[in-house]
Amino acid sequence: METIMVDPFWTRLGLIVGAASTLAMFSFLWKENAVYRFFEHVFVGLGMGYTVAVTWTDVLKPHWWDKRIWVGAADELLAREEMGLWDPALWRGTGEILPLWGFLGIVGMFWYFQLSQRRAWLSRIVIGILMGSGAGLIFRRIYGLFFTQDGQVTKSFLPLLLPADSANVVRQWDLTLGALTACLILIYGVFHLRRVRQGIELPKRIEITTTASLCLGLALGTFLLSRGLVIAWNNGLIVLTLICVLCYFLFWEGGRRNRLSIGAATLGRWLLMISFGATFGSTVMARFSLLINRAQYLLEQCLNLS
Amino acid sequence: MKPNQPRWIYMAVALSVTLPFLAKIKMTMPISEPVQKAFDVVEKLAEENEGRERKKLALLVADWEPATMAEIHPQVLALIHHFMSRQIPFAILGFRPTGPGLAQDLAHSAAREWNAEYGVAWCNWGYKTQMDTTIQAMLTSFHTVIREDTQGTPIQDLPMMVGFKDMGDIGLVAEFTGSSGLLQPWVEFVHAELRTPILHGCTGVMESPVYPMLSSGQIQGFMGGLSGAAQYEQLVGKLGKGSEGMAAQSLAHLLVLGLILAANLKEFAAWAAKGTLWKR
C-alpha cells in the first residue's frame, strides 16, 4: 500500500477545522445556538455522505456493479463476440447474469419508495425480505446464545461449592451433595435446639441426636467450605441474584405472596439497583472519555502543549 | 453568574480533565481479569504461530464510529501494537461504514513504528454489509465473500494470505464496537462452530452485558472503555492515550464524587435547618 504524503497545509487546515468543530459543539454548554446547530448538521451530513460513498466503493461497486453488471456483462459480450455468437436474441436466452443482478438492484431501489406516500407499499417488499431473514437468523442466535452448552442460561446453573481442582466434575458434584447434606443436618439440629429452648421436653436420644447432628453438620460444612469457599462465593452470588431478581419480577405485585417471596423480591430489587448503578458508573466513565479525547485533541494535536 | 449555576461545574470538570495532561501524568492501573485474559489469548496465538510456515491470522473487526473512537481507539492501537510486536498477521474487516477506515489509520501509525509492511503484517478487507449473512457465507465459502482488499488487490496476491483456505485459518477474532448486537454473530456462528477465540473491546456503557458472555466462555477476554485500554497498554508495555486519559478520568471521577457528597450535605443541612431531617 502506498504511503500518502499529506501536504502540511492541509494537515494544519484539518486541525483548525477540527478544533473549530469541537469548540462549536461544546458551545451548546453555554446555550443552544446557531453555530452549534450548523456543526451538528455538518457532522450528521458527513456521516451519511461517508456511508453512502463507502457502501458504493466497498460493497456495491466491487461486488455488484463491477462483477455482475458492467464488467460481467462486458466479459460476457466479448466472449460471445469472439465465438461469433453475438446475437441479442441469444443473449436474452442464455446470459442470465445481467438481468438477474440488475433486477436485484431495481428491487433494492424499492427501499426509496418510503419517500412516496402513494408507492410506499413497494418499499415494504424489501423491508419484509430483510425482516424475514433477520427474524429467521435471530431465532438461531437466541437459542445459541442462551441455551446451548456455552449458553448463558445453561451456565447460570452453577454448583455452589467447588473444590480446588475445579476441573474434576465428579468431585464438584460430590462436594455439592455433601454441602446439601450438611445443610439438612444443621437444619435438623437447629430445629430441635429451638424446641429444647422453648422448654419442650424431648427424649434423651433426641437430645443426643440433636447435639451430634449440630456438631456433624458444622464439621462437614466447615470442611466443605474450606475446600471451595472462594469460587462458591462468586457462584453463590450469581445464583442468589438470579433467583432474587426472578422473584422480583414474579412476586413484586399481586399473586400469592409470603414473607419469603417478598424478602427475596426486595433483595432482588436492591441487587438490580446495584447492577444499574454499576452500569450508570460505566456510562459516566464513557462520557468523560469523550471529553478527555477532545481535550487530548485540542491540547496535544492542535496546541501541541504536551 | 450565581455560584450554583452548572457553568461552574462545567468549568471545574474542564479543569479536572485538562490539568493531568498539562502535568503529563500517566496512571498505572491494576490489571483486571478480563483484560489479562484478552492479553493471554493473543499470546497463545503468537505461541501457536511460532515455527509455523503459514501463520494463523487475527481478524480485527472494526465496528465502531467516530462517536465512540475516544474509548475504542486506544484499545485497538494497543492491540495492534501487540499483534505487530508478536508478528501476528491481521486483517481488518468492518460492518460499520466508518470502522475499517478508522482502523486503517491506526494500523498505518503502528506500522510506521514497527516497520510493518502492508500485505505482509496486515491488510484491510474493508466494509461489508449484512453481518449475519456475511459471516455465515464466510464460513461456507470464504473466497466468494472476501475477494479483494480495499485497494482492489485480490487477496490471494497478498503475501500474508498465501495458502489461506477458510475461516479455520483465522486464529482469533477481535471485535471492537460501541454498539450492541455486533458481538453475538461472531459468538454464535464462528466461536460455536470453529471454537475460534473471541476477544471483545467495547465502550464503558456496553461493559455490563459482556460479563455473562465472558463467564459462560462465549468470549475469551475483553477490555471495556478507557480503563480497559489503559490496562492493555500496560500489559503490552506501551503506554498511550489510554494511560494518559485515565489520570484525567480519575480526577474527574473524584470531582463528581465530591460534588455528589457536597450536594447531599447541602440538602441534609437544609433539612436540619427546617427541623425535618429525622421526619423523612
Side-chain angles (χ1 to χ4, degrees), chain B residues 26-32 35-36 39 78 227-240 242-243 246:
Chain B
K26 285 193 181 183
M27 211 175 149
T28 51
M29 306 272 301
I31 309 295
S32 64
V35 179
Q36 183 65 53
F39 181 82
S227 149
Q231 292 169 43
Y232 206 88
E233 283 172 359
Q234 268 174 246
L235 287 170
V236 177
K238 202 161 177 54
L239 300 189
S243 308
M246 277 317 288

Side-chain angles (χ1 to χ4, degrees), chain A residues 1 30 54 58 63 67-68 137 140-141 144-145 150 152 279 282 285-286 288-290 293 296 300, chain B residues 7 21 67 70-71 97 108 127 132 136 145 147 151 184-185 188 193 195 204 208 213 218 241 244 249:
Chain A
M1 182 177 275
W30 189 260
V54 85
D58 280 20
H63 292 282
K67 292 281 187 294
R68 308 291 184 193
L137 286 166
R140 181 184 162 182
R141 194 196 283 185
L145 282 175
D150 282 345
Q152 289 171 34
T279 308
S282 304
M285 191 173 85
F288 272 124
S289 300
L290 299 180
N293 177 263
Q296 272 174 328
E300 291 179 1
Chain B
R7 285 162 200 172
F21 287 117
E71 288 178 279
H108 265 306
Y127 164 61
D132 287 43
Q136 288 194 75
V145 184
R147 298 174 183 196
Q151 304 298 306
Q184 286 86 339
E188 178 41 31
E193 289 192 18
R195 313 308 288 176
S208 311
M213 301 181 91
Q218 291 176 329
K241 286 196 185 288
E244 273 178 23
Q249 181 87 262

Side-chain angles (χ1 to χ4, degrees), chain B residues 59-78:
Chain B
L59 183 59
L60 176 60
V61 188
D63 283 342
W64 71 92
E65 285 149 352
T68 50
M69 63 188 244
E71 288 178 279
I72 306 282
H73 267 199
Q75 298 173 359
V76 178
L77 192 59

Side-chain angles (χ1 to χ4, degrees), chain A residues 252-264:
Chain A
W252 188 251
E253 278 184 350
R256 286 175 146 193
R257 298 205 301 165
N258 55 41
R259 285 174 70 181
L260 182 68
S261 66
I262 292 170

